[in-house]
């Protein structure tokens, strides 16, 4: 009955590989997000995506690309993984109004070796 | 039950005033506490992160404090501006069984009147 689910929970891979993290929400929300949590547990938004617009954070390398097959899914693809990509990645969703709380997934811990 | 409460739920003040937003939590074994602002359609913007061992953090006109003994955090905004209008959220961040757990307050909707 999970509202926002992301898989896998853990992902260990080598430098240079391409990987994907999947996210699904069953809340009927219009907006989904990807956040990166760094080693100091600071959450930074990477992307937000709704039915009408994809907003890309300029500080995110273009190796990261969100893909949304429908409004209930927002997957994160990462090409040519680097050591610095190691972090916990959180997916979230909300109503498009912006005044509703965000619902977060449990996170995916990515380790690049 | 772990809870995070934010008071007030909404606040409207004239431009230029200093103001304080409050966040209280029931679990004193806090790990980190983070303040965000939420603008419509743009998700969250991280403002300040206070780690469990710290008492305050400052960034520009913002100052966030953490008092674990009383279970409170405050976000002080100096010389408020219309651009500060947004919903401000605090979140308690903890690690539970190797899972990151975020407990969110409901937010304070701030309106700065020109």
């Amino acid at each position: 009955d999970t509202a926002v689910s992301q898989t896998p929970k853990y992902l260990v891979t080598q430098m240079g590989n391409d990987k994907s993290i999947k996210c699904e929400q069953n809340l009927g929300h219009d907006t989904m997000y990807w956040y990166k949590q760094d080693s100091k547990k600071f959450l930074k938004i990477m992307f937000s995506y709704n039915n009408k617009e994809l907003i890309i954070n300029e500080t995110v390398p273009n190796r990261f690309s969100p893909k949304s097959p429908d409004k209930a899914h927002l997957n994160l693809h990462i090409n040519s993984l680097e050591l610095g990509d190691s972090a916990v990645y959180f997916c979230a969703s909300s109503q498009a109004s912006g005044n509703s709380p965000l619902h977060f997934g449990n996170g995916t811990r990515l380790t690049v070796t | 039950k772990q809870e995070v409460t934010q008071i007030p739920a909404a606040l409207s003040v004239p431009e230029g005033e200093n103001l304080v937003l409050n966040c209280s939590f029931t679990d004193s074994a806090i790990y980190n506490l983070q303040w965000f602002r939420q603008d419509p359609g743009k998700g969250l913007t991280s403002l300040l992160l206070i780690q469990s061992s710290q008492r305050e953090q400052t960034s520009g006109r913002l100052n966030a404090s953490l008092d674990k003994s009383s279970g409170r955090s405050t976000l002080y905004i100096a010389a408020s501006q219309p651009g500060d209008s947004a919903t401000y959220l605090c979140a308690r961040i903890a690690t539970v069984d190797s899972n990151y757990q975020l407990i969110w307050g409901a937010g304070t909707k701030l309106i700065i009147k020109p």
Side-chain angles (χ1 to χ4, degrees):
Chain A
D1 206 23
T2 304
V4 180
S5 60
Q6 52 183 112
T7 57
K9 184 177 179 180
Y10 300 100
L11 181 57
V12 180
T13 188
Q14 293 182 331
M15 288 176 55
N17 286 345
D18 303 336
K19 291 293 179 183
S20 296
I21 306 173
K22 296 183 178 181
C23 180
E24 176 183 10
Q25 55 95 4
N26 61 7
L27 298 168
H29 288 164
D30 297 316
T31 306
M32 296 184 72
Y33 313 85
W34 276 105
Y35 287 81
K36 179 180 180 180
Q37 188 177 46
D38 64 15
S39 58
K40 293 184 178 181
K41 308 298 182 287
F42 199 80
L43 280 166
K44 296 181 182 179
I45 189 168
M46 300 174 69
F47 304 102
S48 65
Y49 193 102
N50 59 27
N51 289 330
K52 301 176 181 178
E53 184 178 9
L54 171 64
I55 301 172
I56 300 176
N57 186 318
E58 291 181 329
T59 63
V60 178
N62 58 15
R63 298 181 294 103
F64 291 77
S65 59
K67 297 190 188 301
S68 180
D70 55 62
K71 78 170 191 177
H73 297 82
L74 182 63
N75 303 324
L76 182 64
H77 297 268
I78 314 171
N79 296 323
S80 301
L81 279 156
E82 300 177 358
L83 292 176
D85 297 333
S86 295
V88 181
Y89 293 85
F90 287 92
C91 175
S93 71
S94 73
Q95 294 290 2
S97 67
N99 291 324
S100 64
L102 269 71
H103 295 258
F104 274 70
N106 289 328
T108 296
R109 183 185 291 275
L110 171 65
T111 303
V112 182
T113 62
Chain B
K1 181 179 178 182
Q2 300 166 344
E3 291 185 342
V4 176
T5 304
Q6 290 189 245
I7 296 174
L11 182 63
S12 180
V13 300
E15 180 180 4
E17 284 196 7
N18 303 324
L19 57 99
V20 175
L21 307 180
N22 296 293
C23 175
S24 61
F25 39 89
T26 57
D27 186 351
S28 62
I30 190 171
Y31 185 55
N32 289 333
L33 191 135
Q34 191 164 5
W35 283 92
F36 299 82
R37 66 174 283 168
Q38 186 175 19
D39 296 279
K42 295 185 179 180
L44 292 175
T45 300
S46 299
L47 297 175
L48 291 164
L49 171 69
I50 308 177
Q51 298 187 19
S52 185
S53 59
Q54 298 174 324
R55 292 187 63 85
E56 67 175 354
Q57 285 286 317
T58 298
S59 176
R61 295 182 293 107
L62 304 178
N63 176 275
S65 66
L66 176 63
D67 184 343
K68 290 193 295 180
S69 61
S70 63
R72 291 184 59 192
S73 176
T74 60
L75 179 66
Y76 175 83
I77 303 176
S80 59
Q81 303 171 358
D84 295 331
S85 298
T87 297
Y88 289 80
L89 297 126
C90 67
R92 169 192 174 278
I93 303 171
T95 302
V96 180
D97 296 329
S98 300
N99 293 321
Y100 289 103
Q101 185 179 67
L102 291 86
I103 309 295
W104 293 87
T108 295
K109 185 174 182 178
L110 176 64
I111 297 174
I112 306 298
K113 297 177 289 186

